[in-house]
Amino acid sequence: MSDLLFRNFKTKIMQKVLVLFLLCSSVIGIAQVKEKIAFGPYIQQMGTKDATICWSTLESSPTLTDKDGNVKTIGEYKHHKIHLGDLEPNTEYKYDVLNDGSDEGKGTLTTYPDEIIPFNFAVTGDSRNRHDVHAKIVAKIMETNPRFIINSGDLVANGRSISDWEAFFGVNKELMKNTPYYPVLGNHEKDSPYYYDLFDLPNNEKYYYFTVGDALFIVLDSEGKQISEPDFVSEKNSDAFWQSAFSEYFNTQKNWLENVLELNKEAGFVFIFQHKPLYSAMKNRKAEAEQTRKFWGDIFERHKVQVFLNGHDHHYHRATKNGVHYITSAGAGAPLYDIELTLPETKKSSKIEHFVNVQINKKNAFLYVTDINGDEIETVEIKRRK
């Protein structure tokens, strides 16, 4: 792997900043145009003393021809990543994965703090299409200068289509080169190999957690394995087929979640993310949400989780139950859905494109829900756990 060259210089805030050059000529041929960066660079796993930088290069352009002679070109990409260790907490680093004199491979990362200090992060969801809308949401998010961003799923319309990922990384290029990006598996990701190639995530990459300060962030997988029911399965055996296919996976995930929450029981703030909602304001999804709540039971209330954030329903909806805020935030590009139901637990809803900027302080956190025009939908205060 390439060498790392560090240069020290002073910042206005008297913080040590290192200029970090990733000399990657052994990995990619700088002189060859085809090996210039196609996706990225972008920041993945971040810690107080480590980080991961990813990027992709175009390797070839296979074609697919249909029966009418129409030819479609499909990009084949090679994915690169480098893990950086021995970094300083809460420190800014400049990196360059090409080191060829151009700006193409440059970005900036800031490690997480090793103490409890205020910071903010952004939440968005269902960015899958209407790329012009997605770009406007990303621009608004960048104005908040988040420490990281979490997308609650359905990043793209079809996770098995590389052209969809090309569009996604095109929209997010400026954001992701300086800001760690944490995705959630949605139904439109289709458990695609592209998802696991492009992202470098903790744990098994399907569900994982990380911490910043005394805040705990847990990402769950509401989708499970990508399988189809064979045509020969009869209607009377259909429920049994799906129960058998997924029960072990989700029960394993549930036990994992219980353990993570117990291990991190002293965390001041707990945010959980999943694609599908536990409270849906859509008539055709209400029953599924009820089944999901039944599966999870009282685990969130028992462990004093403050916020559960999801996507899937393309609007904003917040419900509360026994101290937990269940928030649907899915307004980053997918066509909006009507809000058809007002549940007993509903506190606020709005059919508009939006994102959530979360500011965490020592004693409380504020969720600033902002629409695509920059107007406030609502502000929610969360108290630190005792």
Side-chain angles (χ1 to χ4, degrees):
M1 182 53 68
S2 54
D3 295 327
L4 305 179
L5 174 62
F6 296 96
R7 297 178 182 176
N8 294 326
F9 67 95
K10 295 182 180 180
T11 67
K12 293 181 180 180
I13 58 173
M14 300 181 67
Q15 183 183 45
K16 182 174 66 176
V17 179
L18 303 180
V19 180
L20 180 149
F21 292 102
L22 311 181
L23 307 181
C24 302
S25 57
S26 62
V27 180
I28 59 176
I30 292 175
Q32 300 181 32
V33 174
K34 74 170 187 177
E35 294 181 332
K36 289 291 185 176
I37 295 173
F39 303 155
Y42 52 99
I43 304 170
Q44 284 293 271
Q45 295 192 52
M46 176 69 77
T48 58
K49 297 181 179 180
D50 57 274
T52 299
I53 307 297
C54 297
W55 69 100
S56 298
T57 53
L58 180 65
E59 292 295 299
S60 65
S61 301
T63 60
L64 182 68
T65 305
D66 65 19
K67 60 183 178 61
D68 298 320
N70 299 311
V71 180
K72 179 179 181 181
T73 302
I74 305 168
E76 180 203 2
Y77 296 93
K78 183 176 181 181
H79 309 294
H80 312 270
K81 63 182 177 182
I82 186 166
H83 302 291
L84 309 175
D86 298 323
L87 306 180
E88 295 293 327
N90 201 33
T91 301
E92 180 182 285
Y93 294 84
K94 295 185 182 299
Y95 66 84
D96 186 347
V97 301
L98 291 180
N99 192 33
D100 64 350
S102 72
D103 292 331
E104 187 178 1
K106 294 180 180 179
T108 302
L109 67 86
T110 304
T111 51
Y112 293 153
D114 61 353
E115 58 183 335
I116 301 174
I117 61 174
F119 69 92
N120 73 301
F121 68 96
V123 181
T124 188
D126 288 77
S127 52
R128 65 187 204 199
N129 46 16
R130 291 201 298 162
H131 304 308
D132 56 335
V133 173
H134 185 196
K136 291 178 181 178
I137 292 294
V138 168
K140 290 293 182 183
I141 288 174
M142 290 179 66
E143 291 177 7
T144 70
N145 192 28
R147 209 64 187 256
F148 59 87
I149 180 171
I150 297 180
N151 188 315
S152 60
D154 283 3
L155 285 70
V156 294
N158 183 354
R160 292 179 177 264
S161 169
I162 191 61
S163 62
D164 284 22
W165 290 110
E166 290 168 346
F168 172 83
F169 280 96
V171 170
N172 285 283
K173 181 177 177 62
E174 292 303 311
L175 171 66
M176 294 179 71
K177 71 179 183 181
N178 301 323
T179 309
Y181 201 104
Y182 298 93
V184 178
L185 273 168
N187 52 300
H188 279 266
E189 270 65 66
K190 300 182 184 294
D191 204 29
S192 169
Y194 288 135
Y195 180 89
Y196 303 105
D197 286 342
L198 291 166
F199 294 104
D200 185 77
L201 305 168
N203 198 48
N204 62 16
E205 296 195 294
K206 288 176 173 286
Y207 49 88
Y208 57 92
Y209 79 95
F210 63 97
T211 61
V212 181
D214 73 337
L216 172 66
F217 304 92
I218 302 175
V219 171
L220 300 176
D221 174 22
S222 63
E223 304 311 303
K225 298 175 288 186
Q226 180 70 16
I227 61 174
S228 299
E229 180 181 294
D231 292 337
F232 55 72
V233 176
S234 63
E235 185 177 348
K236 71 175 183 178
N237 290 327
S238 181
D239 288 344
F241 174 87
W242 290 109
Q243 176 67 19
S244 176
F246 289 104
S247 60
E248 181 180 1
Y249 177 82
F250 284 113
N251 283 325
T252 298
Q253 183 178 193
K254 187 175 182 179
N255 291 334
W256 172 86
L257 175 61
E258 189 86 53
N259 185 53
V260 169
L261 289 169
E262 181 62 28
L263 286 172
N264 295 276
K265 60 186 177 183
E266 294 181 285
F269 300 93
V270 180
F271 294 83
I272 293 184
F273 304 84
Q274 177 180 284
H275 183 59
K276 289 182 178 174
L278 268 65
Y279 289 88
S280 178
M282 299 182 63
K283 293 178 181 178
N284 65 339
R285 292 178 174 176
K286 183 173 181 288
E288 182 183 28
E290 290 173 349
Q291 288 181 329
T292 304
R293 293 202 304 273
K294 183 178 180 181
F295 171 78
W296 288 114
D298 67 347
I299 188 170
F300 306 115
E301 298 169 12
R302 185 160 36 86
H303 286 280
K304 298 182 180 179
V305 173
Q306 292 120 314
V307 184
F308 180 101
L309 278 145
N310 64 269
H312 199 49
D313 295 352
H314 305 163
H315 49 233
Y316 176 77
H317 177 259
R318 180 172 64 90
T320 61
K321 180 70 178 297
N322 295 334
V324 184
H325 295 267
Y326 296 92
I327 297 176
T328 295
S329 179
L336 296 175
Y337 293 159
D338 290 334
I339 297 167
E340 302 169 330
L341 300 172
T342 299
L343 307 173
E345 297 84 2
T346 297
K347 300 300 179 183
K348 183 72 174 181
S349 59
S350 181
K351 180 186 175 183
I352 194 168
E353 298 88 354
H354 68 280
F355 72 98
V356 184
N357 176 31
V358 183
Q359 174 69 49
I360 295 184
N361 304 307
K362 289 187 176 181
K363 295 183 178 180
N364 55 12
F366 291 94
L367 282 66
Y368 301 101
V369 187
T370 306
D371 70 20
I372 193 170
N373 302 311
D375 297 325
E376 178 185 312
I377 296 175
E378 71 167 340
T379 297
V380 181
E381 182 179 5
I382 306 295
K383 299 292 186 181
R384 189 184 189 281
R385 297 199 310 175
K386 297 180 179 180

